[in-house]
Amino acid sequence: MEKIDPKEFRLKFFEEMGFVRKQCPKCGRWFWTLNKDQVYCNDAPCVEYEFFDYGLKPLSVREARKAFIEFFKEHGHTPVKPKPVVARWREDLYLTIASIVDFQPFVTDGVVPPPANPLVVSQPCIRLEDIDNVGKTAGRHLTTFEMGGHHAFNYPDKQIYWKDETVRYAFEFFTKVIGVKPEDLTFKESWWEGGGNAGPCFEVTVKGLEVATLVFMQYKVVDGNYVPMPLKVVDTGYGIERIAWLTQGAPTGFHAIYGELVKKFFEKIGVEEPDEEIVRIAGKLSSTFDPDEPESIEKYYRRVAEEAKLPYEKAREILERMERVFAVLDHTKTLALMLADGIVPSNTGEGYLARLVLRRALRALAKLGSNVKLSELVELQINFWDQDFPQLLKRRNYILEVVDLEEERFRKTLSRGLSYVERLLKRKKEISLEDLVELYDSHGIPPDIVEEVAKKKGVEVHIPANFFSIVARRHARAEVKEEKPEFPREVLEELEKLPPTRMLFHEDVYLRKFRAKVIYSKPGIVVLDKTAFYAEGGGQLSDVGKIKWGNRASAEVVHVTKVGDVIVHKLKDSVEVPVNIEVEGEIDWSRRYTLMRHHTATHIILGAARRVLGEHVWQAGAEKRPDKARLDITHYKPLSKDEVRKIEELANQVVFEGRKVTARFMDRNEAEAKYGLRLYQGGVPPGRTIRVVEVEGWDVEACFGTHVTNTREVGVIKIINVDRIQDGVVRLEYTVAENALKHVWNLEDTLESIAAKIGASPKDALLRMEKFVEEYKAVKNELAMFKRERVRSEAERALARKKPTKWGYATVSLLTNMGKDVVLEVARKIIANEPKASAIIYNVVDNRVVVNILVGEEALRRGASAKEILTKILGKIVEGKGGGREDYAAASGTFKIPSDKVVEETFNILG
């Protein structure tokens, strides 16, 4: 909002207490204060920090959290449990970035009531948009922090409290509980927007440090316009770590948050801890560093050097090393919390963000010259925070194993990445920001590595100071895919006016036939007042079957879909059913029953995978078909044969035990309180009421699909295939009952067929096959020796006939019926022996010729180009198509000249 109406900030509380409104001459912002002599807004970077000797009662983070919760509890707020740092209940967001996120979108949209009203929560949050500033601002910027939120949800017919009460609470908390002098408390006017909502806010500051933000969410942003919301929300964020910093007067926020852990990190990393005086000076002056000003960091370093009476370069070196240690300190806690809440590092989604934090920490350690394992530092965080976040201790083994695995993967990535960057620099004389992002996103190569390689090649690379912030911002939100409408707009508008369909498939999953009334019909589609036909959703295919009416009329139902609360049946051949008549529906029961079994098996296998592999396992996708089903799960490495066997064994144990499978509709808050966010395995269903499916004592999920009512009906589960389909995701394919038996029969048939082909009985097939394998290996070794000899002799023959060129030498070979791998090995052998050579090899296969051109490194530097050579060849010697790079090119076609003239003519055109 360009201009905020000052009336939004004029409160009775300010008038009663004698606050005055002033404008800061530095930032231009308006603020409220009791100090009539106050000139500035009392916030960084307009003023330096002045709270170090304030004399408040020191509070640890834990004590600050407790003080905040207790204050609001005494003032009628119900404490609620914080949610995980992974926003599993949001389709559009990966991480919990604020306490209000706990209640979006359903509570803030008025769909679901809040769990209490008013309420208070201390929510661990993760924000990566300012990750590059962590460490530089002495604790003002963190990737992980606790947001103390007290929230009130004001409905049109039920007001809780609004601006005056919110500001009064802040005033009383900071003056009476924390001990801040009233005249040192400043309320700075501001405006907040986020998640499609907006409203005025106050930023609460003390002695240069912002300690809270009080947001009054009262508008919905629609196409750039501010539309008043019927539900007005008090959305506050108290910085728990900042309150601890304020009370302790510690030199940096890191000292206030981590205490003795700061010293341990310096020791473990192998960096000398800076002198207390320079840390104190740096902490005080860090408030003047404005990350939005490119020159600000240099000014900050120079001021510290001047006040500490140190040479600039020496002060800068000390500060940069300290900043990197602080960044590692912050990042390791963030990483521990992310992994403890079940994130699996990967190249997508929340896994991408976890990997970004981890790899940035590793690069910081590398720049510090430290050989300490990252997992050792993460373990220190687990031990330090285990009382505050018990999940750290519970998931300790998983966290440490994943960190070690990721560190090893990163080493391999860098090893591969160096050669990729070198190849890129041969093609590009300038590296743009988008190139840097692409190198990091697709190849995992950090920008400083690119810069190191580029310098050696004489290429300049400009890395933005906020590179990782840019990358994090691009990946902060999940892409919510909009489903394409299955029907024309006019049909959708008509469907939206229809009453909800009674879903008989939920009332009785075993119902095969039913009678219903037609309430809407068009050629090829029909809507009934009730139906037993399941509408596709949750990875389960829809039912198919028939609808009959009159004496002999019928239509085949080929697909069923859901539009809002209306079930729409698609009919074969665009049949149109008369409206207002009664019809009989019959589903394909055999198909439906198999789908039910597969769906229940999916829930059973997910529970088994979680017990075998760990609590980090989360459903990443699923599909249930009549022939088989699949479940995609998050996991950090391929499954071993033993793990697959254990999952299958455990799943079948549940099947054979005959556990009850129940489905019921529950209030969302009640379901979440009872079962937690594990409910949302297959996504987040909308609405106040959700359908919950429970496999007794095994698995509970929000699920729309149809299930058997006892696990014994599944029959047996057979896992038929396991694949690691992408980084961090494993796919399990399986089938049940009769289909599982058919799968075993197919395996038996295959074994018998193999046995027959090798002349053995099925029981002796393994022994016979082992003998064949030994013989095959011997033949393979002989062929490899022959291949090496052939490569050597062809390369020597070519080099013996090499001819000089302007870049060095050219070799030309004419081969017949050679494999591509052999041709390329010959070319590599040639340029390995003579780096100034360009190797040109023609290989004739079935009256077609394939030409491969490989340019040596030295020849490349002297101006040789495989692409240019190929262009000349395609013009005079070969009729065909091809292409390539400067160092390699290839084409296929037919000779334009006699084959016995090819070698001589090639040398001629190269001059």
Side-chain angles (χ1 to χ4, degrees):
M1 185 172 277
E2 292 181 7
K3 189 176 181 181
I4 310 169
D5 190 342
K7 292 179 183 177
E8 295 279 8
F9 304 103
R10 294 189 185 279
L11 308 182
K12 286 183 181 178
F13 173 75
F14 288 152
E15 187 179 340
E16 289 171 8
M17 297 296 295
F19 276 80
V20 292
R21 186 173 187 251
K22 295 188 171 190
Q23 188 173 24
C24 179
K26 285 192 176 179
C27 66
R29 301 270 288 277
W30 290 90
F31 62 91
W32 294 82
T33 178
L34 286 170
N35 184 354
K36 293 178 175 55
D37 297 326
Q38 185 174 324
V39 176
Y40 301 107
C41 65
N42 207 11
D43 194 11
C46 295
V47 297
E48 292 179 9
Y49 292 144
E50 298 174 339
F51 60 86
F52 297 110
D53 299 314
Y54 199 33
L56 300 176
K57 179 187 174 182
L59 298 176
S60 66
V61 171
R62 187 177 305 151
E63 289 166 339
R65 181 194 309 124
K66 183 180 179 183
F68 172 78
I69 296 289
E70 288 298 322
F71 173 82
F72 284 97
K73 185 179 179 182
E74 289 170 6
H75 288 78
H77 293 67
T78 303
V80 298
K81 287 177 63 177
K83 288 194 173 179
V85 296
V86 192
R88 302 285 190 191
W89 62 98
R90 293 284 295 268
E91 297 280 16
D92 61 333
L93 200 62
Y94 294 123
L95 301 175
T96 308
I97 58 173
S99 60
I100 194 63
V101 168
D102 294 11
F103 312 105
Q104 291 175 324
F106 302 114
V107 176
T108 54
D109 285 351
V111 176
V112 176
N117 197 11
L119 58 81
V120 62
V121 62
S122 185
Q123 175 62 52
C125 301
I126 293 178
R127 288 185 193 171
L128 304 181
E129 285 84 350
D130 293 313
I131 192 170
D132 294 289
N133 296 324
V134 174
K136 295 176 181 177
T137 54
R140 186 161 30 119
H141 292 90
L142 303 168
T143 60
T144 183
F145 57 92
E146 283 188 63
M147 181 177 286
H150 68 91
H151 301 285
F153 302 88
N154 297 284
Y155 296 88
D157 58 344
K158 187 181 180 182
Q159 294 291 306
I160 307 301
Y161 61 79
W162 196 227
K163 295 178 183 177
D164 275 283
E165 295 90 336
T166 303
V167 173
R168 188 184 299 276
Y169 281 139
F171 184 82
E172 290 185 8
F173 174 74
F174 284 110
T175 57
K176 294 180 180 180
V177 177
I178 302 303
V180 174
K181 294 174 184 176
E183 62 270 22
D184 291 332
L185 205 58
T186 302
F187 293 88
K188 188 166 67 168
E189 297 177 5
S190 191
W191 182 261
W192 174 90
E193 287 192 29
N197 298 118
C201 71
F202 288 109
E203 294 168 359
V204 186
T205 61
V206 179
K207 297 281 188 179
L209 184 66
E210 183 183 340
V211 289
T213 303
L214 316 176
V215 176
F216 305 101
M217 192 188 293
Q218 60 191 66
Y219 298 103
K220 198 171 184 70
V221 184
V222 181
D223 298 326
N225 298 312
Y226 297 93
V227 181
M229 293 167 55
L231 173 63
K232 291 179 169 51
V233 182
V234 172
D235 170 22
T236 67
Y238 286 60
I240 301 300
E241 289 88 353
R242 290 196 179 188
I243 293 169
W245 190 10
L246 172 70
T247 62
Q248 292 179 38
T252 74
F254 296 100
H255 290 82
I257 298 164
Y258 296 100
E260 78 262 11
L261 212 53
V262 173
K263 187 176 187 65
K264 287 183 181 178
F265 263 62
F266 273 99
E267 289 173 353
K268 274 274 188 184
I269 292 170
V271 172
E272 184 181 352
E273 192 171 3
D275 180 81
E276 286 183 16
E277 181 63 12
I278 193 170
V279 175
R280 185 190 64 77
I281 294 169
K284 182 184 73 169
L285 296 179
S286 66
S287 61
T288 63
F289 167 48
D290 185 352
D292 294 328
E293 290 185 16
E295 305 299 322
S296 185
I297 189 72
E298 292 297 326
K299 293 177 184 176
Y300 162 58
Y301 288 157
R302 291 191 184 282
R303 287 195 63 189
V304 173
E306 184 180 335
E307 194 161 326
K309 296 180 173 56
L310 287 172
Y312 169 73
E313 291 300 332
K314 180 66 175 175
R316 178 174 183 144
E317 180 188 349
I318 292 170
L319 291 173
E320 286 183 341
R321 290 174 75 80
M322 182 174 73
E323 289 163 8
R324 286 179 180 134
V325 173
F326 285 164
V328 174
L329 189 58
D330 168 271
H331 293 4
T332 47
K333 180 187 177 186
T334 300
L335 184 60
L337 289 173
M338 292 173 111
L339 298 179
D341 279 343
I343 292 183
V344 175
S346 67
N347 290 329
T348 58
E350 64 269 18
Y352 174 96
L353 298 174
R355 184 168 280 170
L356 182 147
V357 173
L358 186 147
R359 291 185 171 181
R360 192 170 187 274
L362 287 172
R363 288 308 300 157
L365 288 174
K367 289 174 183 177
L368 289 166
S370 177
N371 294 319
V372 66
K373 287 176 65 178
L374 189 62
S375 60
E376 291 181 31
L377 301 175
V378 172
E379 189 169 22
L380 289 177
Q381 295 281 10
I382 294 172
N383 296 337
F384 188 80
W385 295 104
D386 59 359
Q387 290 183 52
D388 303 86
F389 309 109
Q391 66 269 33
L392 292 174
L393 210 53
K394 186 179 178 183
R395 311 267 168 79
R396 178 194 201 99
N397 292 341
Y398 165 71
I399 294 169
L400 299 179
E401 183 181 354
V402 167
V403 172
D404 279 340
L405 190 63
E406 283 294 309
E407 184 166 358
E408 181 58 31
R409 283 175 177 162
F410 189 44
R411 280 203 191 93
K412 291 178 180 176
T413 295
L414 292 182
S415 178
R416 292 193 302 268
L418 288 173
S419 58
Y420 182 86
V421 174
E422 287 177 348
R423 291 199 302 271
L424 179 70
L425 291 168
K426 289 175 183 176
R427 295 185 281 115
K428 304 195 79 167
K429 299 303 178 187
E430 187 178 334
I431 301 295
S432 67
L433 171 61
E434 290 307 313
D435 290 329
L436 291 173
V437 173
E438 169 67 18
L439 285 166
Y440 182 77
D441 274 356
S442 300
H443 305 281
I445 309 167
D448 57 299
I449 294 288
V450 180
E451 186 179 37
E452 286 175 16
V453 178
K455 274 184 181 177
K456 295 174 184 175
K457 303 288 184 183
V459 177
E460 207 169 323
V461 177
H462 298 286
I463 304 173
N466 63 336
F467 174 81
F468 285 98
S469 300
I470 292 169
V471 173
R473 210 169 286 127
R474 293 186 182 188
H475 291 267
R477 292 186 171 270
E479 184 182 350
V480 180
K481 294 180 181 177
E482 291 188 16
E483 294 184 7
K484 292 183 180 179
E486 294 188 53
F487 307 103
R489 181 181 294 176
E490 59 273 16
V491 173
L492 286 173
E493 289 174 354
E494 291 172 352
L495 292 173
E496 287 171 0
K497 297 174 184 176
L498 297 177
T501 307
R502 184 177 162 195
M503 300 176 195
L504 300 176
F505 53 80
H506 278 166
E507 295 177 19
D508 181 2
V509 292
Y510 296 96
L511 185 64
R512 307 180 190 193
K513 292 183 179 181
F514 66 98
R515 301 194 72 79
K517 181 182 177 183
V518 177
I519 62 170
Y520 179 85
S521 182
K522 291 273 185 186
I525 63 172
V526 66
V527 177
L528 311 175
D529 64 340
K530 53 183 175 288
T531 185
F533 282 92
Y534 176 77
E536 183 168 336
Q540 179 178 326
L541 298 181
S542 79
D543 286 330
V544 298
K546 286 189 175 181
I547 290 177
K548 302 175 185 176
W549 67 95
N551 291 329
R552 294 185 178 179
S554 67
E556 191 175 336
V557 178
V558 293
H559 186 65
V560 185
T561 190
K562 190 169 175 277
V563 178
D565 291 324
V566 176
I567 306 296
V568 184
H569 308 73
K570 288 188 175 182
L571 309 178
K572 188 178 180 180
D573 298 329
S574 298
V575 173
E576 187 168 5
V577 184
V579 181
N580 293 325
I581 66 164
E582 188 176 72
V583 298
E584 181 182 71
E586 183 176 2
I587 67 173
D588 181 336
W589 174 248
S590 175
R591 182 178 183 276
R592 154 75 88 78
Y593 193 50
T594 302
L595 288 170
M596 286 165 58
R597 286 166 145 182
H598 275 147
H599 204 148
T600 303
T602 300
H603 287 220
I604 293 171
I605 288 176
L606 180 60
R610 198 159 53 239
R611 285 163 176 82
V612 172
L613 304 174
E615 289 294 313
H616 62 277
V617 168
W618 199 270
Q619 179 176 312
E623 184 184 38
K624 303 92 186 176
R625 293 166 30 189
D627 57 332
K628 64 180 179 179
R630 66 165 171 83
L631 172 67
D632 299 339
I633 59 171
T634 55
H635 191 52
Y636 54 96
K637 60 183 178 181
L639 300 192
S640 67
K641 182 180 178 181
D642 185 53
E643 287 170 333
V644 175
R645 187 67 57 84
K646 282 180 180 176
I647 292 170
E648 187 176 78
E649 185 179 357
L650 206 52
N652 279 297
Q653 185 179 318
V654 171
V655 170
F656 302 149
E657 287 171 353
R659 300 190 185 209
K660 290 180 182 177
V661 182
T662 56
R664 58 189 170 128
F665 287 91
M666 295 182 70
D667 173 81
R668 181 184 292 275
N669 284 333
E670 180 192 348
E672 286 186 5
K674 186 172 183 178
Y675 300 115
L677 298 175
R678 280 276 174 200
L679 283 166
Y680 303 133
Q681 293 292 330
V684 185
R688 180 170 181 168
T689 303
I690 59 176
R691 185 169 180 265
V692 176
V693 174
E694 179 177 7
V695 179
E696 184 183 9
W698 191 255
D699 180 80
V700 184
E701 299 178 36
C703 181
F704 187 76
T706 57
H707 292 264
V708 296
T709 57
N710 189 291
T711 59
R712 197 173 282 121
E713 291 183 63
V714 173
V716 67
I717 297 173
K718 180 61 191 166
I719 297 175
I720 59 176
N721 190 44
V722 180
D723 274 324
R724 190 164 179 257
I725 60 167
Q726 67 182 61
D727 196 20
V729 179
V730 174
R731 172 167 293 174
L732 297 160
E733 291 183 328
Y734 44 92
T735 189
V736 302
E738 293 89 343
N739 284 337
L741 191 58
K742 288 176 184 176
H743 177 75
V744 173
W745 290 342
N746 287 337
L747 292 178
E748 288 178 351
D749 291 345
T750 301
L751 177 59
E752 288 176 2
S753 176
I754 291 171
K757 289 183 185 299
I758 61 176
S761 65
K763 67 176 183 177
D764 295 328
L766 180 60
L767 290 173
R768 183 64 61 88
M769 184 59 73
E770 286 174 348
K771 186 178 179 182
F772 280 164
V773 169
E774 286 177 10
E775 293 172 354
Y776 168 75
K777 285 179 179 177
V779 171
K780 188 177 178 183
N781 288 336
E782 288 180 15
L783 287 172
M785 288 175 61
F786 172 76
K787 179 179 165 184
R788 284 195 297 272
E789 179 58 29
R790 180 71 188 273
V791 167
R792 186 192 61 76
S793 64
E794 291 293 348
E796 286 181 357
R797 187 179 294 115
L799 285 166
R801 300 195 302 250
K802 69 183 180 185
K803 292 193 176 181
T805 62
K806 59 184 179 181
W807 61 77
Y809 301 98
T811 69
V812 182
S813 305
L814 179 60
L815 308 177
T816 306
N817 294 321
M818 297 289 280
K820 182 181 178 181
D821 60 329
V822 176
V823 171
L824 290 176
E825 281 193 41
V826 171
R828 291 190 196 103
K829 190 83 172 175
I830 291 169
I831 64 173
N833 284 298
E834 179 50 82
K836 289 184 283 187
S838 293
I840 303 156
I841 302 178
Y842 297 94
N843 184 32
V844 180
V845 181
D846 297 331
N847 297 320
R848 298 276 297 175
V849 63
V850 178
V851 57
N852 284 273
I853 304 162
L854 206 61
V855 176
E857 194 171 329
E858 185 61 30
L860 202 62
R861 275 197 285 268
R862 293 178 172 214
S865 168
K867 284 198 299 185
E868 290 180 11
I869 295 171
L870 182 64
T871 301
K872 292 178 180 180
I873 288 172
L874 289 176
K876 294 189 176 181
I877 298 174
V878 174
E879 183 75 47
K881 292 182 179 180
R885 308 182 301 266
E886 300 299 327
D887 59 338
Y888 172 74
S892 66
T894 56
F895 282 131
K896 297 173 73 174
I897 62 175
S899 59
D900 59 348
K901 302 288 185 183
V902 166
V903 173
E904 181 184 352
E905 186 59 29
T906 302
F907 279 127
N908 290 338
I909 64 172
L910 295 178

